[in-house]
């Protein structure tokens, strides 16, 4: 990028320009936070006189890198995000004038997103979010953020001062490259030193950059580019749905462009080269013919459509989602699906789940031990699947984002610590006299504390906790899944108060796993003696239910008597 022209231009100097956004540029993706930070920075900036110069300081934005396209238009090599945000701010400021006094703004034209230019010119309203496609979504979200920001400033806000600072005291570094330089090469070099290009952006350039396909018929190529750009947006928009995204990912997998996940699945990522996915696709473009473009894109669509098919099929959604959650690589699942019918594929899934629990004795599964989380999750998922009339789906996104714990149904003493000032309340909520509480001295002591309100030494109170909660039970019959927020809110409580809080949280809208709710409603109990106590009969019934529901995957075992 030698011998190129660099200058400083104010926003007002850009108003007469016409900008062309090439196909290799990423779509508009500025977040509410980025837009708000820019507005705040400009608002808080105060231009000051520069000593010995007839100038004032200015607020400087990142560079805009351009190349002369023709006599009236500039190719934007880098900076379309900033230009679009500038346009949105200018557009909003323009609404404060009557129509014949509004400024003529610079124009933005897109190679493969032609409707975006019309949308910017005619359809912005600042009130609603447009979900038509992923670009409109981000643009309308940013514009609503801008409108809300000005509205929230109130009637005393000096919009004229802000507008003056934005037009004349906000400037960009204008980097004009030589017309003979290759735009993609410049784009790659700039971003590799500043904001590293993603594999997805480079792959998009392979599919949509016209200069790569000199041999293809121009009109057919143009139609194919528009088709691919539309498909690309649809895939990216679908993957932005966290319900879909967390179904196909074991964890968050924070990618700037989620379609890159599809490309990573297709490529060999054994290399340490961070651009190995791009190199994989670059190798697939040899002849740069229309057939080659079409074949490669159809392969990408097929991968996505397979994932989408799994997501939309209730049985596959739960079973594939389960395997991914417990650690089976999605690449391996896709490989198995490739040559199998749906029936054969479901048989393979069943065998894969079985293989995870080979020679497992459910009676030996314990808190903090191996398999416990996987078994409780399988119990919840298979319970939902067994109800053929149910349409609800297990929320893998919430399971992975909300950090679910394995929790004791009836608390164990080693988990409970009660401060002195909370002893009376804890006893009132947790002491229910049962056949296990035959020590009259302890019973009398508990009644005295409750009646008099006089707390005792915390170490001595630990013995009362042990007495009330009884023998510790870390087995599967005393465990369930619960989100961390609910778990931590009741860790010190016995079954009675836990049940009360579960009901309250579900009424507030908290998602409670179906099997956890069934436990605290005692739906599994064959004989309900007391709704406030998790007794031996309840535990046995619960264990037998788990065993029955997941019996197709794990051999049955008999619960040891009095266990």
């Amino acid at each position: 990028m030698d011998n190129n022209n660099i200058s400083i231009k104010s926003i007002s100097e850009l108003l007469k320009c016409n900008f062309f956004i090439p196909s290799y540029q990423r779509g508009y993706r500025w977040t509410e936070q980025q837009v708000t930070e820019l507005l705040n920075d400009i608002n808080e900036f105060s231009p000051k006189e520069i000593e010995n110069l007839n100038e004032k300081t200015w607020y400087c934005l990142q560079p805009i890198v351009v190349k002369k396209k023709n006599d009236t238009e500039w190719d934007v090599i880098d900076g379309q995000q900033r230009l679009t945000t500038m346009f949105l701010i200018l557009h909003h400021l323009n609404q404060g004038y009557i129509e014949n006094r509004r400024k003529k703004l610079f124009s933005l034209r897109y190679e493969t997103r032609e409707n975006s230019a019309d949308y910017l010119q005619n359809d912005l309203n600042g009130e609603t979010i447009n979900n038509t496609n992923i670009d409109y979504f981000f643009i309308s979200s940013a514009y609503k953020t801008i409108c809300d920001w000005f509205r929230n400033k109130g009637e005393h806000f000096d919009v004229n001062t802000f507008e003056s600072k934005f037009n004349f005291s906000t400037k960009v570094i204008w980097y004009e490259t030589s017309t003979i330089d290759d735009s993609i090469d410049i784009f790659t070099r700039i971003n590799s030193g500043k904001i590293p290009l993603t594999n997805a952006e480079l792959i998009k350039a392979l599919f949509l950059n016209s200069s790569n396909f000199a041999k293809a018929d121009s009109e057919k190529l143009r139609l194919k580019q528009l088709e691919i750009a539309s498909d690309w947006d649809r895939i990216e928009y679908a993957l932005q749905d966290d319900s879909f995204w967390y179904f196909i990912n074991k964890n968050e997998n924070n990618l700037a462009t989620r379609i890159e996940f599809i490309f990573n699945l297709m490529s060999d990522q054994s290399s340490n080269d961070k651009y190995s996915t791009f190199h994989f696709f670059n190798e697939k473009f040899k002849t740069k013919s229309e057939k080659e473009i079409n074949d490669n894109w159809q392969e990408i669509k097929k991968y996505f459509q397979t994932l989408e098919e799994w997501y939309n099929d209730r049985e596959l959604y739960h079973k594939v989602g389960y395997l991914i959650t417990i650690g089976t690589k999605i690449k391996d699942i896709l490989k198995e699906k490739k040559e199998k019918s749906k029936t054969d594929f479901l048989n393979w899934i069943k065998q894969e789940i079985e293989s995870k629990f080979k020679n497992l004795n459910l009676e030996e599964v314990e808190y903090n031990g191996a398999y416990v989380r996987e078994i409780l999750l399988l119990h919840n998922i298979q319970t939902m699947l067994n109800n053929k009339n149910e349409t609800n789906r297990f929320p893998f996104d919430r399971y992975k984002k909300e950090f679910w714990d394995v929790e004791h149904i009836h608390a164990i003493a080693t988990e409970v610590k009660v401060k002195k000032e909370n002893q009376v309340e804890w006893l009132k909520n947790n002491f229910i006299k049962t056949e296990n509480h035959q020590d009259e001295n302890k019973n009398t002591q508990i009644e005295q504390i409750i009646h008099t309100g006089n707390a005792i030494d915390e170490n001595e109170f630990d013995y009362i906790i042990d007495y009330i909660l009884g023998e510790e039970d870390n087995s599967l019959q005393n465990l369930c899944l619960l989100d961390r927020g609910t778990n931590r809110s009741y860790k010190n409580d016995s079954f009675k108060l836990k049940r009360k809080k579960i009901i309250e949280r579900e009424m507030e809208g908290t998602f409670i796993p179906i099997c956890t709710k069934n436990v605290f409603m005692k739906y599994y109990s064959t004989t309900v003696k007391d709704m406030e106590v998790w007794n031996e009969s309840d535990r046995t019934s619960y264990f037998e239910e788990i065993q029955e529901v997941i019996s197709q995957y794990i051999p049955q075992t008999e619960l040891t008597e009095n266990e």
Side-chain angles (χ1 to χ4, degrees):
M1 292 175 63
D2 298 330
N3 302 318
N4 296 310
N5 297 318
I6 300 176
S7 60
I8 303 293
K9 290 185 182 292
S10 66
I11 303 298
S12 63
E13 291 178 276
L14 303 182
L15 295 181
K16 296 179 180 179
C17 296
N18 299 309
F19 297 105
F20 177 77
I21 312 297
S23 57
Y24 55 80
Q25 284 275 12
R26 71 182 80 181
Y28 184 78
R29 298 294 183 270
W30 267 35
T31 64
E32 178 180 346
Q33 180 181 350
Q34 288 172 297
V35 174
T36 301
E37 286 176 356
L38 175 60
L39 291 167
N40 288 337
D41 286 348
I42 294 168
N43 187 47
E44 292 163 10
F45 175 73
S46 297
K48 294 181 174 60
E49 293 287 344
I50 302 175
E51 193 172 344
N52 300 323
L53 289 174
N54 188 25
E55 288 184 24
K56 290 185 177 181
T57 57
W58 64 83
Y59 179 83
C60 192
L61 297 174
Q62 291 294 316
I64 304 293
V65 183
V66 295
K67 184 172 78 170
K68 195 76 172 175
K69 182 176 178 64
N70 52 49
D71 291 340
T72 61
E73 210 167 35
W74 296 94
D75 259 332
V76 178
I77 297 172
D78 189 60
Q80 80 99 350
Q81 306 269 10
R82 291 181 289 284
L83 282 169
T84 305
T85 306
M86 290 177 209
F87 182 93
L88 295 175
I89 295 172
L90 289 165
H91 185 277
H92 175 77
L93 291 170
N94 243 358
Q95 306 316 299
Y97 297 98
I98 60 174
E99 189 166 347
N100 62 2
R101 294 197 62 195
R102 289 175 184 169
K103 297 181 178 70
K104 184 181 184 305
L105 307 183
F106 58 78
S107 69
L108 293 169
R109 187 167 69 87
Y110 300 83
E111 184 174 10
T112 53
R113 299 189 294 277
E114 293 179 322
N115 292 335
S116 293
D118 291 333
Y119 180 74
L120 285 169
Q121 293 289 344
N122 304 313
D123 296 327
L124 295 171
N125 63 48
E127 298 295 331
T128 57
I129 305 299
N130 189 325
N131 289 315
T132 304
N133 61 50
I134 195 71
D135 285 322
Y136 288 8
F137 172 80
F138 279 101
I139 290 172
S140 60
S141 297
Y143 189 63
K144 186 176 186 302
T145 298
I146 292 166
C147 295
D148 290 345
W149 185 89
F150 280 95
R151 189 181 302 116
N152 293 336
K153 286 299 177 183
E155 60 183 13
H156 299 298
F157 177 68
D158 190 349
V159 69
N160 293 326
T161 299
F162 179 93
E163 184 173 6
S164 177
K165 284 195 288 189
F166 185 66
N167 283 327
F168 304 107
S169 298
T170 302
K171 301 188 179 185
V172 298
I173 300 171
W174 179 268
Y175 201 120
E176 183 180 341
T177 70
S178 168
T179 56
I180 63 172
D181 288 339
D182 179 77
S183 296
I184 289 186
D185 181 56
I186 299 169
F187 180 63
T188 304
R189 282 185 282 156
I190 291 171
N191 282 272
S192 63
K194 179 168 61 71
I195 305 173
L197 281 175
T198 65
N199 283 288
E201 289 160 342
L202 289 167
I203 292 166
K204 192 172 189 178
L206 288 175
F207 279 105
L208 299 180
N209 183 37
S210 302
S211 64
N212 281 354
F213 300 100
K215 299 177 185 177
D217 177 87
S218 59
E219 185 59 31
K220 286 185 177 180
L221 172 61
R222 181 70 175 155
L223 291 172
K224 176 54 65 176
Q225 285 178 316
L226 291 172
E227 178 190 332
I228 291 173
S230 176
D231 287 342
W232 184 292
D233 286 345
R234 190 186 82 79
I235 293 171
E236 179 65 25
Y237 188 76
L239 294 173
Q240 287 293 329
D241 180 353
D242 279 352
S243 176
F244 190 6
W245 184 245
Y246 282 88
F247 157 62
I248 56 177
N249 280 278
K250 188 177 187 299
N251 44 38
E252 185 179 10
N253 192 13
N254 189 17
L255 293 173
T257 309
R258 288 185 173 181
I259 196 173
E260 187 168 332
F261 178 74
I262 308 295
F263 303 145
N264 290 340
L265 289 178
M266 297 173 66
S267 67
D268 178 11
Q269 288 190 294
S270 58
S271 168
N272 292 325
D273 180 2
K274 69 177 181 178
Y275 291 122
S276 61
T277 300
F278 167 67
H279 296 318
F280 169 82
F281 279 92
N282 194 42
E283 286 298 311
K284 293 167 74 69
F285 283 82
K286 296 294 186 185
T287 64
K288 297 181 179 177
S289 63
E290 180 186 349
K291 183 178 185 304
E292 194 171 65
I293 302 169
N294 189 63
D295 290 349
N296 285 328
W297 185 247
Q298 289 304 315
E299 186 181 3
I300 291 167
K301 285 179 66 177
K302 187 176 180 181
Y303 264 79
F304 171 74
Q305 286 163 355
T306 298
L307 300 179
E308 194 174 42
E309 176 191 340
W310 294 350
Y311 178 71
N312 291 325
D313 183 294
R314 192 166 183 271
E315 184 174 11
L316 287 171
Y317 167 82
H318 284 95
K319 292 183 176 180
V320 171
Y322 175 73
L323 282 177
I324 292 170
T325 302
I326 66 172
T328 303
K329 293 181 179 179
I330 191 170
K331 273 193 175 185
D332 294 337
I333 302 174
L334 284 163
K335 184 179 178 181
E336 291 294 334
K337 171 64 179 74
K338 204 167 188 180
E339 304 299 332
K340 287 181 172 64
S341 66
K342 183 178 178 181
T343 300
D344 290 341
F345 183 50
L346 283 168
N347 287 334
W348 175 83
I349 289 174
K350 181 178 182 296
Q351 293 167 6
E352 183 69 9
I353 296 173
E354 286 176 346
S355 70
K356 306 289 184 183
F357 305 111
K358 195 171 292 185
N359 302 320
L360 176 67
N361 185 339
L362 286 179
E363 192 176 346
E364 296 173 354
V365 175
E366 290 197 341
Y367 183 71
N368 282 338
Y371 305 112
V372 62
R373 183 181 295 271
E374 291 85 348
I375 289 167
L376 291 172
L377 178 60
L378 182 60
H379 183 219
N380 276 272
I381 286 173
Q382 193 59 46
T383 296
M384 297 187 83
L385 275 174
N386 285 350
N387 187 345
K388 302 301 182 184
N389 296 319
E390 180 59 75
T391 58
N392 286 341
R393 291 145 62 99
F394 187 84
F396 289 106
D397 53 331
R398 298 186 68 171
Y399 178 78
K400 293 167 185 177
K401 288 193 291 185
E402 294 174 7
F403 306 105
W404 287 14
D405 289 330
V406 173
E407 169 64 3
H408 289 93
I409 299 168
H410 175 79
I412 61 173
T414 52
E415 284 189 341
V416 177
K417 191 66 181 175
V418 180
K419 293 181 179 179
K420 207 169 184 178
E421 61 268 25
N422 297 328
Q423 288 177 6
V424 175
E425 183 184 6
W426 190 87
L427 289 174
K428 287 180 180 178
N429 288 326
N430 291 280
F431 180 54
I432 301 170
K433 190 175 180 181
T434 68
E435 59 188 21
N436 296 322
H437 301 108
Q438 301 296 322
D439 187 329
E440 290 306 320
N441 290 331
K442 280 280 192 302
N443 292 344
T444 300
Q445 184 183 20
I446 291 169
E447 290 169 3
Q448 286 178 343
I449 295 172
I450 294 173
H451 179 70
T452 64
N454 295 327
I456 63 175
D457 178 76
E458 289 185 8
N459 291 328
E460 186 180 351
F461 193 77
D462 286 343
Y463 291 104
I464 291 180
I465 293 172
D466 287 343
Y467 174 67
I468 291 173
L469 296 180
E471 186 177 349
E472 289 193 358
D473 185 358
N474 287 309
S475 67
L476 191 59
Q477 63 180 353
N478 191 40
L479 301 174
C480 67
L481 280 178
L482 208 63
D483 73 278
R484 191 170 292 177
T486 302
N487 179 4
R488 290 178 175 178
S489 74
Y490 74 22
K491 206 172 189 70
N492 282 351
D493 299 321
S494 64
F495 182 84
K496 170 188 172 182
L497 205 57
K498 287 182 178 183
R499 181 177 184 276
K500 179 175 180 290
K501 289 183 179 178
I502 287 283
I503 294 171
E504 289 173 352
R505 288 180 74 86
E506 185 173 45
M507 289 176 66
E508 292 167 357
T510 301
F511 174 79
I512 306 297
I514 178 108
C515 296
T516 300
K517 182 167 70 172
N518 290 348
V519 160
F520 284 96
M521 298 301 105
K522 290 209 173 186
Y523 291 158
Y524 300 131
S525 303
T526 53
T527 303
V528 180
K529 295 180 180 179
D530 191 339
M531 288 300 291
E532 296 184 332
V533 177
W534 185 242
N535 59 39
E536 294 302 319
S537 174
D538 299 323
R539 299 176 197 218
T540 300
S541 298
Y542 175 48
F543 179 86
E544 290 173 349
E545 166 69 15
I546 293 175
Q547 193 165 238
E548 181 180 348
V549 169
I550 62 175
S551 61
Q552 60 183 294
Y553 308 109
I554 301 174
Q556 292 196 17
T557 55
E558 292 186 11
L559 191 62
T560 304
E561 188 176 353
N562 298 323
E563 186 68 18

